[in-house]
Amino acid sequence: MKVAAGIVLFNPDINRLKENISAIEFQVDEIIFFDNGSKNIAEIKTIIEGINSKFVLLTSSKNIGIAQALNEIARYAIENKYKWLLTLDQDSVVYPNLIVQYKKKLNLPYLGQLSCKRVDRNIKDDNITLNDCSVKEIKYCITSGTLINLEVLKKINGFDGKLFIDWVDNEVCCALRKAGYKTYELNYKGLLQEMGKATFSIFFGKKIYTPNYPAIRYFYNARNSIYTARKYPNEENVYIKILQQCKVQIHIIIFEKNKLKKFYSIAQGIRAGFRLSKHHDRGLYE
């Protein structure tokens, strides 16, 4: 069974990209890169042309976002007879044998996608029990490190390009579930990831997680959470999403820098989420 890996690039850190490629190149049959108009494209080409495994580099002259870039990767994979696609962020690093472990679970009922446990570079979490390879159904998973069933992705016509970045993963989970397919998580430490510049703070004796995202990420997170809740009212409640975003604003005021810019970015994102048409822009075959 052939598996391709898809990596979306946008001005990547070259050393981290090297680490990413080295970790995955011998686990899959081909790496499909999609560059979203990176300024360091010459460096990127130099790096990937030196790898030992099969690869292809697809490019765009401008940043078309994560979702549409993933659609371009998926289209190439489908056209080249792949049944499974591992999606990766440019700064993610998979652990050894991830694909071997995934392949053992491909007979799960109504399998839409299979994810794994992740470790954040910035956070030590001793509470995660890892590597017994048990499986459970979950509501949401992140895109990076997830193995998606391309036959199923075809049925929902790919990822929703309106999202650009943030909630791309959650929305596709909703779309798969609506089509009758499930998202599973393997209890296996499979991915080293960096979620923003995450830190922990102690507040009144309680350990508080802070992602420290830039303002633009908070905008898209707010906008796309509202948009997804409006599209899938059986999955999410719009008013709860608004409340959650207000809590994020309070968290930012207490714990993060650039407080006002991030605060207003969330407010703008909430408004924008109500203005987006609920008609999707999935785009896999467009």
Side-chain angles (χ1 to χ4, degrees):
M1 183 207 67
K2 296 200 307 178
V3 176
I7 303 175
V8 179
L9 305 172
F10 182 67
N11 299 327
D13 177 277
I14 294 300
N15 289 329
R16 184 64 57 80
L17 179 59
K18 287 179 182 178
E19 190 180 359
N20 184 347
I21 294 169
S22 295
I24 194 58
E25 63 176 323
F26 296 115
Q27 295 196 50
V28 296
D29 297 283
E30 184 173 3
I31 304 176
I32 308 165
F33 298 94
F34 187 92
D35 184 74
N36 252 333
S38 295
K39 295 178 181 178
N40 57 345
I41 185 63
E43 288 182 274
I44 291 169
K45 288 181 177 179
T46 299
I47 295 302
I48 67 174
E49 286 170 1
I51 68 178
N52 297 312
S53 58
K54 186 178 180 182
F55 73 89
V56 64
L57 173 62
L58 311 175
T59 61
S60 172
S61 60
K62 63 179 181 179
N63 188 353
I64 63 173
I66 295 290
Q68 291 293 21
L70 288 172
N71 282 335
E72 294 296 328
I73 288 172
R75 185 181 296 113
Y76 175 92
I78 291 167
E79 289 173 352
N80 286 272
K81 312 302 181 185
Y82 287 100
K83 300 297 184 184
W84 298 91
L85 176 67
L86 180 78
T87 51
L88 289 171
D89 292 346
Q90 63 189 16
D91 58 354
S92 300
V93 178
V94 298
Y95 281 78
N97 299 317
L98 176 62
I99 299 301
V100 170
Q101 297 301 328
Y102 275 165
K103 285 182 177 181
K104 296 176 182 178
K105 306 295 182 181
L106 297 186
N107 291 323
L108 289 166
Y110 305 104
L111 176 57
Q113 54 186 353
L114 183 58
S115 66
C116 63
K117 293 288 188 179
R118 68 181 187 269
V119 177
D120 194 305
R121 289 177 181 271
N122 299 312
I123 296 174
K124 182 180 179 182
D125 191 345
D126 297 324
N127 296 321
I128 300 177
T129 301
L130 300 170
N131 294 342
D132 69 3
C133 293
S134 59
V135 177
K136 65 178 180 180
E137 184 181 351
I138 56 173
K139 183 175 182 179
Y140 293 136
C141 69
I142 66 170
T143 304
S144 192
T146 293
L147 188 69
I148 192 160
N149 184 336
L150 289 173
E151 287 296 326
V152 173
L153 189 66
K154 285 166 62 177
K155 292 182 180 180
I156 64 168
N157 203 19
F159 297 87
D160 189 343
K162 280 187 177 179
L163 298 179
F164 196 80
I165 190 172
D166 275 312
W167 275 72
V168 174
D169 39 20
N170 290 353
E171 193 279 340
V172 82
C173 290
C174 293
L176 289 171
R177 205 158 28 247
K178 185 176 180 179
Y181 294 92
K182 298 180 179 182
T183 296
Y184 292 94
E185 181 184 74
L186 183 67
N187 195 34
Y188 181 80
K189 183 174 68 176
L191 186 73
L192 184 61
Q193 179 80 339
E194 188 169 19
M195 306 293 287
K197 299 295 181 183
T199 58
F200 272 129
S201 303
I202 303 300
F203 189 68
F204 288 105
K206 187 177 180 180
K207 200 174 185 181
I208 305 295
Y209 169 82
T210 302
N212 298 300
Y213 286 127
I216 191 66
R217 288 291 304 273
Y218 283 115
F219 168 83
Y220 278 115
N221 185 281
R223 189 196 73 160
N224 294 346
S225 68
I226 299 298
Y227 168 73
T228 302
R230 289 173 57 229
K231 280 182 67 179
Y232 302 99
N234 293 330
E235 297 275 358
E236 295 289 351
N237 183 292
V238 171
Y239 300 105
I240 290 177
K241 289 290 113 184
I242 294 172
L243 178 60
Q244 288 173 346
Q245 292 298 329
C246 291
K247 288 181 178 178
V248 173
Q249 287 177 310
I250 294 170
H251 186 101
I252 287 169
I253 293 300
I254 297 172
F255 295 106
E256 296 199 18
K257 298 178 181 178
N258 300 319
K259 302 177 188 297
L260 290 180
K261 184 176 182 179
K262 293 178 181 181
F263 184 95
Y264 285 118
S265 291
I266 291 174
Q268 291 169 342
I270 292 171
R271 286 195 295 270
F274 282 104
R275 293 171 183 166
L276 275 182
S277 167
K278 289 189 287 184
H279 177 72
H280 63 73
D281 182 21
R282 310 208 77 84
L284 184 58
Y285 294 116
E286 296 173 2

